[in-house]
Amino acid sequence: NLISKSENLNTFIKNLGNLKINSKGKENLNKLIKTLKEIERLEIPEAIDIILNSGYKKYLTKKYKDDAERLEDIESLKEISLSYSSLSDFLSEASLQEHVKGEKTSSCQTVILSTIHQAKGLEWKIVFIIGVSDGHFPHPSSMYDIMALEEERRIFYVAVTRAKEDLYITYYTRDFYRYFSSEKSIFIEEILPSYYEEWNFE
């Protein structure tokens, strides 16, 4: 009730004096407030790192078996956030996004943006997998770890099997954040040429 009655963080802090809570609860609330006030001044990626390091990463590890995949999703979220000029714009856009769901639960014509992990178990008629480039997918760190590379290959398999009819796999030759040119991923190279049609938009 206290949160719903507070217009902003400052109002919430003022109303804390009226809250009956034990010392441990107050200590945890003060830690939360300190974190929230700290991230107000930061860029979105840095703010996400603060939240992770304040205890959320430990929570993921303890609560979920797929904690590594969830952390990868958060890293993707950090990259997406770079295209927004402010936290308010980012949150406003995020709040407008419909929760990821398959076609059997959606009758309208929409474009659904999803991570591969979120798409597990779902299918669509048409699927685009973007950024399947060397140095991006698979992740560079997995290239020297056979187990990690196999896990990335399994994730790629999950992605390509989400399409019921048409599948488009895209890769870029130039990256805004890198100064060197890029090539298609080894995962594309591993697909037999007879299985796909290649288009070049350079």
Side-chain angles (χ1 to χ4, degrees):
N1 288 335
L2 182 61
I3 294 176
S4 62
K5 292 177 181 179
S6 303
E7 296 180 0
N8 51 49
L9 180 60
N10 290 330
T11 305
F12 175 74
I13 294 172
K14 289 180 181 179
N15 293 335
L16 273 181
N18 302 322
L19 187 65
K20 294 181 180 179
I21 190 171
N22 59 36
S23 58
K24 183 64 176 178
K26 285 186 177 180
E27 180 183 346
N28 290 332
L29 271 176
N30 286 329
K31 286 181 179 178
L32 174 61
I33 291 169
K34 181 180 178 181
T35 300
L36 292 174
K37 293 186 76 68
E38 186 175 359
I39 66 177
E40 279 183 330
R41 307 185 301 270
L42 300 174
E43 297 294 329
I44 301 173
E46 286 78 10
I48 292 174
D49 283 334
I50 290 292
I51 294 171
L52 282 174
N53 295 327
S54 67
Y56 188 65
K57 185 182 292 186
K58 291 182 180 179
Y59 167 78
L60 286 179
T61 303
K62 184 177 180 180
K63 182 74 174 179
Y64 300 101
K65 293 182 179 178
D66 61 341
D67 57 296
E69 295 178 355
R70 290 172 179 269
L71 286 170
E72 285 181 15
D73 288 342
I74 293 174
E75 290 299 320
S76 297
L77 181 67
K78 286 165 59 177
E79 290 188 23
I80 294 171
S81 71
L82 292 172
S83 61
Y84 294 86
S85 58
S86 68
L87 178 61
S88 60
D89 288 344
F90 176 64
L91 293 177
S92 296
E93 182 68 21
S95 66
L96 295 175
Q97 298 299 319
E98 185 179 26
H99 189 273
V100 175
K101 53 187 178 179
E103 286 187 323
K104 60 184 178 182
T105 59
S106 178
S107 58
C108 56
Q109 297 294 322
T110 59
V111 174
I112 297 174
L113 180 65
S114 169
T115 65
I116 298 173
H117 300 302
Q118 287 178 317
K120 287 179 180 177
L122 303 177
E123 290 182 321
W124 294 272
K125 288 183 178 179
I126 303 171
V127 169
F128 286 81
I129 309 174
I130 62 175
V132 189
S133 302
D134 180 46
H136 182 72
F137 191 14
H139 192 276
S141 63
S142 68
M143 298 301 293
Y144 305 99
D145 185 331
I146 294 177
M147 295 297 292
L149 183 59
E150 284 305 307
E151 176 62 17
E152 292 272 287
R153 186 174 282 108
R154 185 191 66 80
I155 293 171
F156 180 67
Y157 174 80
V158 170
V160 300
T161 54
R162 298 311 90 203
K164 292 193 288 187
E165 295 182 6
D166 297 320
L167 172 66
Y168 297 86
I169 303 174
T170 71
Y171 67 94
Y172 48 79
T173 56
R174 295 184 184 85
D175 186 344
F176 180 79
Y177 297 103
R178 297 184 177 95
Y179 295 102
F180 51 86
S181 60
S182 183
E183 300 291 340
K184 68 179 70 171
S185 166
I186 59 170
F187 292 157
I188 297 178
E189 296 283 4
E190 291 172 352
I191 302 174
L192 293 175
S194 58
Y195 287 176
Y196 63 87
E197 180 181 353
E198 187 168 7
W199 299 345
N200 192 330
F201 293 99
E202 283 190 316

